[in-house]
Amino acid sequence: MRADAGGWDTRTVRLVFLVVVVGLVGFAGPSVPAPTIAAARAQDVALDPAGELFGVSCATSTYCLAVGTTAASWDGHRWHLLHGPPEPAGTVQMFMNAVSCPAANDCVVVGDFQSSRGDTTLAEHWNGTSWLPLAVGSATHARLDAVSCPTTAW
């Protein structure tokens, strides 16, 4: 268990993140009922106890995608663990650092793959069913930390 300078451990950050995400869903559309917040808290361990989440994007009040060392989608009632994008050979760790979802079937995730050869960029499109790689080059010792997609037209 690691802690940052503020003393937050991974489990605390993950729980706070889920509560914040559920709160954001309420602002994106109709209010999320209070039992949903409790369900998200209880489901935290079931998602991925070893995973960390770094970014979230909510296309609607019934669809959010959260990413980090794992990925999860929100359907308005509960979180669902997703398989991440395929990792290149030799990958030691994958970090999905940010996500932007202008629609439930149109999310872009960016980050990096870490290997013994260094970091390489990660950019993937999630269509609600599968991951598709996006061409951004594959510079060694590079990563992407932010993404913004205001519309589905690219």
Side-chain angles (χ1 to χ4, degrees):
M1 187 74 52
R2 66 181 186 197
D4 67 12
W8 291 74
D9 69 26
T10 309
R11 281 185 282 179
T12 303
V13 172
R14 193 175 313 112
L15 178 61
V16 169
F17 175 81
L18 286 173
V19 172
V20 169
V21 169
V22 172
L24 290 174
V25 172
F27 289 110
S31 295
V32 175
T36 303
I37 295 171
R41 287 181 184 150
Q43 196 180 355
D44 176 50
V45 175
L47 278 176
D48 186 355
E52 296 180 79
L53 299 170
F54 306 132
V56 64
S57 180
C58 297
T60 68
S61 62
T62 59
Y63 187 82
C64 295
L65 183 64
V67 299
T69 57
T70 189
S73 65
W74 173 256
D75 65 8
H77 302 286
R78 57 175 300 204
W79 289 99
H80 302 275
L81 187 62
L82 301 173
H83 294 287
E87 298 178 3
T91 297
V92 175
Q93 181 73 50
M94 175 180 56
F95 292 97
M96 295 175 279
N97 297 324
V99 58
S100 181
C101 299
N105 62 348
D106 193 8
C107 297
V108 174
V109 174
V110 298
D112 62 290
F113 295 106
Q114 293 182 351
S115 72
S116 59
R117 297 180 311 275
D119 297 354
T120 55
T121 55
L122 164 108
E124 297 276 339
H125 178 256
W126 174 250
N127 65 15
T129 306
S130 60
W131 297 98
L132 304 166
L134 298 174
V136 293
S138 58
T140 304
H141 305 293
R143 71 180 198 197
L144 299 170
D145 289 324
V147 62
S148 179
C149 305
T151 69
T152 59
W154 357 333

